[in-house]
Amino acid sequence: EVQLVESGGGLVQPGGSARLSCAASGFSFSSNTMSWLRQAPGKGLEWVSFIGIKGGTNYRDSVKGRFTISRDNAKNTLYLQLNSLKTEDTAMYYCAKETEDLSVPTVRALGVNWGYWGQGTQVTVSS
């Protein structure tokens, strides 16, 4: 069973930093492209960043230069370093894996379906 468990969120002041983690199990983590998604209050789920099998990355424009995605295949863990946080970054953050299984909820971005996200971790940016 695919399981993704996010952690590391919290209350952060504007301009501050946070590091999110996502522990993966139930599938071959090193063989999968992974993404971070987020959902702000009252808005839909949106794609934030992905990291490929060989470490290639991509980011939505609003977080480029501030967020860094990384992975540790030995630990089956995905990370997202958030720097220079803004109030508009306030959201529930989820990690997701690329999937062709449309029996689960998915978000499509960059021509890929992302699914199997966990319970999420809340990041609140406020003074």
Side-chain angles (χ1 to χ4, degrees), residues 3-7 92-95 116-122:
Q3 193 167 21
L4 298 171
V5 179
E6 302 90 345
S7 62
M92 187 73 79
Y93 284 74
Y94 303 88
C95 64
Y116 291 104
W117 49 83
Q119 82 290 346
T121 187
Q122 177 70 38

Side-chain angles (χ1 to χ4, degrees), residues 52-114:
I53 296 171
K54 296 183 178 180
T57 60
N58 201 351
Y59 302 89
R60 69 181 301 112
D61 287 346
S62 62
V63 308
K64 282 181 181 177
R66 300 188 299 119
F67 290 9
T68 303
I69 190 172
S70 61
R71 65 192 302 163
D72 185 335
N73 290 335
K75 295 182 178 180
N76 286 350
T77 302
L78 180 72
Y79 301 101
L80 187 66
Q81 178 68 40
L82 294 72
N83 295 331
S84 302
L85 282 162
K86 305 176 181 180
T87 54
E88 52 263 42
D89 295 317
T90 294
M92 187 73 79
Y93 284 74
Y94 303 88
C95 64
K97 67 180 289 292
E98 180 179 359
T99 182
E100 296 180 353
D101 182 0
L102 298 184
S103 70
V104 300
T106 59
V107 168
R108 189 165 181 85
L110 304 180
V112 175
N113 293 317
W114 306 100

Side-chain angles (χ1 to χ4, degrees), residues 1-2 9 12 19 21 23 29 32 40 70 74 78 87 90 102 115 125 127:
E1 177 188 3
V2 173
V12 184
R19 190 190 193 207
S21 299
F29 179 76
N32 277 262
S70 61
L78 180 72
T87 54
T90 294
L102 298 184
V125 185
S127 55

